[in-house]
Amino acid sequence: MKTISLLISGMHCASCVGNIERTLKDKEGIKSININLATEKGQVEFYPKIISEDKIFSIIESLGYKAQLFTDTKNQNKTLEKKKEQTLSTYKFRFIFSLLAGLPVIYLVMGPMLMIKVPDTLLQYSILIQLIFTTLVILFSWPIWKSGVKGLIALRPGMDAMVFLGTATAYFYSLFLVVYSLVSKNDTPELYFESAVFILIFISLGKYLEALTKGKTSQAIKKLMGLGAKEATILKIRNPKSEIRNKSKNQNSNSQNFDYIEVKVPINQVKIGDIVLIKPGEKIPVDGTVIDGYSGVDEQAITGESIPVEKKKGDSVIGATINKTGVLRIKATRVGADTVLSQIINIVEEATNSKAPLQELADKVSYYFTPTVIGIAFISLIIWLILGHPFAFAITIFVSVLIIACPCAMGLATPTAVMMGTGLAAQNGILIKSSRALEMAKKINLVVFDKTGTLTKGEPKVTNIISIKKHYDQKYLLGIACGVEKYSEHPLASAILKEAESQNIQPINISDFKAHPGKGVTASFIPVGSKEKAKISIGTKNLLSDNTISVETALKIGNLEKQGKTTMIMAVNDEIVGLISMADTLKESSKEAVSELKKAGIKVAMLTGDNRIVGEAIAKEAGIDTVIAEVLPNQKAAVIKYLQSGEIENSEIEKFIENCKLKIENSTTRRVVGMIGDGINDSPALAQADLGIAMGAGTDIAIETGDIILMKSDLRDVGKAIKLSKYTIRKIRQNLFWAFIYNVVGIPIAAGILFPLTGWLLSPSIAAAAMAMSSVSVVTSSLSMKRFKVQ
């Protein structure tokens, strides 16, 4: 299986998209084809052993379109932008010259109607002038006729085919009347040159405005592309030989010991491992790790976080963010297409190129739309002739029906809204990978949170220091613990060291350190006011004799453990002097995020591999009622499946669910489950869920599996993503509604349904103006989304 991205030019409406997609889908070896009218890009999944890339290109070109491979390179994006600018200029040129060529015809026909004096000399040659200038308008609009003829010959007509049929009918029928009147020497009847002129002018204007507004919908992607730095300052060693000598003398020497020179290079010349210098106010050019320096970095452009983030040695930095204060030296870890910015751009583009189920419905309708409208136009022509109306009357209706119909509006309704919605999300640090994810987020009625690293910070923190003996206050206990634990490799030791550092407490001197695996540590120290060494023990109850722990102390330990806290006992010469408890604490945003989801009517649950006591303590603090604890990584996906449908995968899971006392409420509504996680063990559950949401600070595999990525790892963005999806889907439905209603109402009016009642007939010129404006109105509706505030 192979997937290629294509640039397809020559498409004019949703019917064009349908023509290409259906033709390719009928070919053996094509698994899927997805084309976006707004971006003129497509993705094809195919089996190379059955059908080749060249064959795919030739099929598309046989339909009258041009295709080329899109490799997502920066240069190709620039070329594409230039091409779009050229296309816009071409449409502008056609409109201006069509208007200039059409003005004499409009003047001669409309002048008398508007009480504008037309010289007799011009009136005398009016027919000849109309013929010449109408022909000029057609020549300026020749690409439309050419495209329309190709579509009719291939039996795959699109919007241009309808424009061609309408304008060609008006032009050649008028030409026939002119010739007939000359031959028969009769008075020239009413001509329809001005109808062809008006139609082509308005179509040219519509295409120009559509291209202009379509270009604006991609501003979000353009802004993202413009965020990156254009060049970087690389530090190069002035004398490489001195580096070897320095290294041989001092293996611990770091980067600043060497004699560097600053070299400015284009961003595409930066390589992994290069040392990059970033001065205050400069953009960080690539992703990297700080090897020297301290600064605050503005990451708002990437994560949406408004407050600058503190960066020091060992911290990661993201390309396209701004260094605010200090000087940083970083080691490049990701460059080019591998940087976070490039990945964000790719995700946003893939989302805009993907299709939501709503769009697939619109495409199906659009595929049959043009042939149906052509059929309605011919039926209307025949019916009015049968009813005894003049041929000229029937031709007017025939042309109006062809011209007013607009498959473009239906084709643009969804992709333009998706482009704006995903772009708006990206600007707020929320990456939505596909249109499907956008549509699914709206339907979520159950959100399942992973605990560690998602709801919690993912690292232990000292929560309580309890003094048991009078002379051992909290600061003294922490100083003793810090002195002992600085020699320990236990994961909880780092929490004690961090807490001591935050309180500026110095470790006491210890000796005779000894680790007791699974129990704790012991050491010797000299207590304050004593000259003799004492034995300090820090660890679990297993480290001490049961007789050492009093009932009162046991109760305190029990209360802490009920709160899900790991408690370490401190004893001096086997006499308990204090307790230190630690826990993985809740993130600041977790409680608010859960509350927002509940307010929106979404049920919330927690899924964790941790023990039930810890799980329930965190859940209670976060405001979550349902806790599914002690879940093995290979069970998580099965639990999600059970929550979705009530189906149990195997007997082992059945026993587990029974032990967890999980029950699916009887409901006709299927649960639509969103899973939020950050670790490798969450990836199967993220994939199984209807919507997988990965934390931006999580593992690569979790991010790859997730449908939505929260760049800031702020759980409040879950609610924002759901609100944004609801707004975008609402906008898509609004666009589709008006696009469909426009055609449902417009076509019957153009067919003359009101004529028997009111005597009013729709002019082809007005039909052309209405058709041109329908696409523009849909795209403008999507553009209004940029005013939406994501809160």
Side-chain angles (χ1 to χ4, degrees):
M1 176 69 67
K2 186 176 180 181
T3 303
I4 57 173
S5 295
L6 305 176
L7 287 175
I8 304 172
S9 56
M11 296 186 296
H12 306 289
C13 63
S15 295
C16 298
V17 172
N19 288 341
I20 299 170
E21 288 186 342
R22 287 187 173 269
T23 302
L24 282 175
K25 280 178 183 175
D26 291 340
K27 302 299 178 182
E28 189 179 358
I30 301 289
K31 184 184 178 185
S32 68
I33 168 75
N34 183 12
I35 297 172
N36 187 307
L37 176 63
T39 59
E40 297 183 350
K41 293 178 185 176
Q43 280 192 328
V44 184
E45 279 186 295
F46 65 101
Y47 297 95
K49 291 182 179 179
I50 301 174
I51 188 169
S52 66
E53 286 184 22
D54 291 339
K55 180 66 176 174
I56 293 170
F57 291 143
S58 65
I59 291 169
I60 294 173
E61 286 171 6
S62 70
L63 297 173
Y65 311 99
K66 289 184 179 179
Q68 67 179 91
L69 202 63
F70 181 69
T71 56
D72 266 348
T73 61
K74 199 170 184 180
N75 289 335
Q76 200 166 12
N77 273 317
K78 285 182 179 177
T79 304
L80 183 60
E81 286 303 313
K82 284 182 181 178
K83 187 178 176 184
K84 284 182 178 179
E85 289 173 8
Q86 290 170 356
T87 302
L88 190 63
S89 298
T90 301
Y91 283 145
K92 186 177 181 180
F93 170 84
R94 285 183 197 165
F95 164 64
I96 291 172
F97 281 89
S98 296
L99 178 63
L100 292 175
L103 283 175
V105 179
I106 296 168
Y107 173 63
L108 287 170
V109 176
M110 303 295 293
M113 296 170 59
L114 298 173
M115 308 298 289
I116 299 173
K117 178 67 176 175
V118 179
D120 293 337
T121 309
L122 288 179
L123 287 174
Q124 186 178 353
Y125 297 100
S126 175
I127 293 173
L128 181 61
I129 293 170
Q130 286 186 56
L131 175 60
I132 291 170
F133 282 95
T134 302
T135 304
L136 278 175
V137 171
I138 289 169
L139 289 174
F140 285 126
S141 308
W142 183 250
I144 298 173
W145 270 34
K146 185 180 177 182
S147 173
V149 171
K150 278 186 176 180
L152 290 170
I153 292 172
L155 297 178
R156 296 183 183 278
M159 186 193 76
D160 286 350
M162 292 192 290
V163 173
F164 165 73
L165 283 174
T167 53
T169 301
Y171 178 75
F172 288 113
Y173 177 62
S174 299
L175 186 61
F176 166 78
L177 291 177
V178 171
V179 174
Y180 179 77
S181 65
L182 290 173
V183 172
S184 62
K185 296 182 180 179
N186 293 330
D187 291 335
T188 304
E190 184 180 352
L191 303 177
Y192 294 90
F193 285 127
E194 86 283 356
S195 294
V197 167
F198 267 116
I199 289 166
L200 290 172
I201 288 173
F202 280 122
I203 295 300
S204 297
L205 174 62
K207 283 182 177 289
Y208 170 63
L209 293 176
E210 185 182 306
L212 190 65
T213 49
K214 273 167 64 178
K216 288 182 180 178
T217 60
S218 61
Q219 284 300 316
I221 295 176
K222 288 178 185 175
K223 280 183 182 178
L224 288 171
M225 289 178 175
L227 288 175
K230 302 295 185 290
E231 56 184 13
T233 303
I234 294 179
L235 295 178
K236 291 192 174 182
I237 298 170
R238 192 185 300 275
N239 185 358
K241 289 182 180 179
S242 67
E243 176 186 16
I244 299 170
R245 288 196 297 272
N246 282 341
K247 280 190 175 179
S248 63
K249 290 177 183 177
N250 183 6
Q251 292 297 324
N252 296 320
S253 63
N254 58 28
S255 61
Q256 65 252 43
N257 289 350
F258 301 124
D259 184 13
Y260 285 103
I261 56 171
E262 298 178 14
V263 181
K264 287 246 182 198
V265 298
I267 191 67
N268 58 2
Q269 291 183 18
V270 181
K271 299 180 181 64
I272 293 174
D274 282 347
I275 306 301
V276 182
L277 176 71
I278 306 107
K279 296 175 183 176
E282 290 183 342
K283 280 186 180 179
I284 296 174
V286 294
D287 296 0
T289 303
V290 178
I291 60 171
D292 184 42
Y294 175 85
S295 183
V297 174
D298 182 355
E299 296 185 342
Q300 185 170 10
I302 300 296
T303 66
E305 178 61 57
S306 58
I307 301 171
V309 180
E310 177 185 315
K311 298 293 180 181
K312 57 186 182 301
K313 185 176 179 179
D315 289 340
S316 297
V317 291
I318 305 170
T321 55
I322 301 171
N323 181 28
K324 299 293 285 185
T325 51
V327 175
L328 292 176
R329 291 181 180 86
I330 69 167
K331 186 175 183 179
T333 55
R334 290 181 180 178
V335 298
D338 295 326
T339 61
V340 169
L341 178 63
S342 295
Q343 289 171 4
I344 290 172
I345 292 168
N346 288 340
I347 287 169
V348 174
E349 286 200 322
E350 283 172 14
T352 59
N353 287 334
S354 64
K355 277 191 182 158
L358 280 171
Q359 176 64 23
E360 290 173 0
L361 172 64
D363 284 351
K364 285 178 183 176
V365 172
S366 298
Y367 179 73
Y368 297 105
F369 180 82
T370 303
T372 302
V373 170
I374 292 173
I376 292 171
F378 276 106
I379 290 169
S380 301
L381 173 71
I382 293 166
I383 287 175
W384 287 111
L385 288 174
I386 291 171
L387 291 174
H389 287 272
F391 186 72
F393 179 91
I395 280 293
T396 301
I397 286 176
F398 175 77
V399 172
S400 295
V401 170
L402 288 173
I403 297 304
I404 200 167
C406 185
C408 272
M410 289 185 284
L412 293 169
T414 299
T416 52
V418 168
M419 194 181 296
M420 291 299 295
T422 53
L424 195 59
Q427 289 172 15
N428 285 272
I430 303 166
L431 298 187
I432 300 173
K433 286 186 175 181
S434 66
S435 297
R436 178 203 159 275
L438 197 64
E439 192 162 342
M440 190 56 68
K442 176 188 176 294
K443 300 175 182 178
I444 294 296
N445 51 32
L446 171 63
V447 169
V448 179
F449 288 97
D450 166 55
K451 180 182 77 69
T452 306
T454 302
L455 282 168
T456 66
K457 294 177 181 176
E459 59 181 26
K461 185 179 186 301
V462 173
T463 56
N464 303 85
I465 301 174
I466 300 173
S467 174
I468 303 292
K469 288 294 180 181
K470 185 177 179 181
H471 298 296
Y472 291 87
D473 62 16
Q474 291 182 349
K475 288 188 176 181
Y476 188 32
L477 287 172
L478 187 56
I480 296 169
C482 180
V484 175
E485 295 295 351
K486 72 179 182 180
Y487 296 100
S488 175
E489 295 179 356
H490 195 278
L492 297 178
S494 61
I496 291 175
L497 298 178
K498 282 183 180 178
E499 182 65 21
E501 185 182 350
S502 69
Q503 295 190 32
N504 294 319
I505 293 175
Q506 295 300 314
I508 66 160
N509 295 320
I510 65 113
S511 59
D512 307 323
F513 174 84
K514 187 177 181 182
H516 303 269
K519 295 181 180 180
V521 293
T522 57
S524 298
F525 81 111
I526 300 176
V528 174
S530 174
K531 294 181 181 180
E532 295 182 4
K533 280 187 178 181
K535 178 187 174 185
I536 175 70
S537 303
I538 305 176
T540 64
K541 287 181 281 187
N542 293 332
L543 189 64
L544 304 168
S545 167
D546 290 338
N547 297 328
T548 305
I549 305 171
S550 67
V551 174
E552 185 183 352
T553 302
L555 284 172
K556 287 180 180 179
I557 294 170
N559 288 333
L560 291 170
E561 288 179 342
K562 282 179 183 177
Q563 296 171 37
K565 297 174 181 178
T566 300
T567 304
M568 299 171 71
I569 303 168
M570 295 182 66
V572 176
N573 294 331
D574 291 337
E575 183 183 12
I576 297 176
V577 295
L579 304 173
I580 296 181
S581 67
M582 279 160 280
D584 183 5
T585 56
L586 204 66
K587 287 180 180 176
E588 291 79 4
S589 62
S590 297
K591 194 171 182 178
E592 188 179 339
V594 171
S595 176
E596 285 294 320
L597 290 172
K598 283 184 170 182
K599 285 178 185 176
I602 298 170
K603 295 193 174 182
V604 183
M606 187 175 81
L607 184 63
T608 178
D610 214 334
N611 68 72
R612 178 163 292 280
I613 292 175
V614 173
E616 287 181 345
I618 291 293
K620 184 179 180 181
E621 189 179 351
I624 298 173
D625 302 320
T626 305
V627 180
I628 310 162
E630 299 172 20
V631 188
L632 296 174
N634 60 355
Q635 294 176 327
K636 285 191 173 183
V639 171
I640 294 295
K641 186 176 181 181
Y642 175 73
L643 291 172
Q644 287 170 318
S645 59
E647 295 177 8
I648 299 173
E649 205 168 65
N650 55 47
S651 57
E652 184 184 340
I653 298 298
E654 184 175 6
K655 186 178 178 182
F656 165 76
I657 288 171
E658 188 179 324
N659 291 338
C660 279
K661 296 178 182 178
L662 272 177
K663 288 183 181 178
I664 298 295
E665 298 172 7
N666 293 327
S667 174
T668 54
T669 306
R670 177 186 176 277
R671 285 191 183 277
V672 183
V673 179
M675 171 70 194
I676 305 171
D678 72 317
I680 292 173
N681 63 341
D682 298 322
S683 56
L686 290 171
Q688 174 62 45
D690 298 285
L691 183 73
I693 302 177
M695 308 297 282
T699 61
D700 288 344
I701 190 168
I703 291 171
E704 186 66 31
T705 311
D707 301 303
I708 293 177
I709 302 165
L710 308 182
M711 291 296 293
K712 290 182 286 187
S713 294
D714 187 334
L715 290 178
R716 287 171 294 194
D717 287 344
V718 176
K720 289 180 182 179
I722 291 172
K723 286 177 185 175
L724 186 57
S725 76
K726 287 181 178 180
Y727 175 68
T728 304
I729 297 302
R730 188 164 70 246
K731 182 62 72 172
I732 290 172
R733 286 179 173 159
Q734 178 185 318
N735 287 353
L736 286 172
F737 171 79
W738 288 113
F740 279 114
I741 287 297
Y742 163 82
N743 286 294
V744 167
V745 173
I747 292 172
I749 291 175
I753 196 171
L754 298 178
F755 183 76
L757 301 173
T758 64
W760 183 76
L761 200 62
L762 184 68
S763 162
S765 305
I766 297 173
M771 192 280 281
M773 291 301 107
S774 62
S775 294
V776 176
S777 64
V778 164
V779 180
T780 304
S781 171
S782 294
L783 283 172
S784 69
M785 292 174 66
K786 63 185 176 183
R787 295 196 296 268
F788 180 73
K789 300 296 180 185
V790 186
Q791 295 176 340

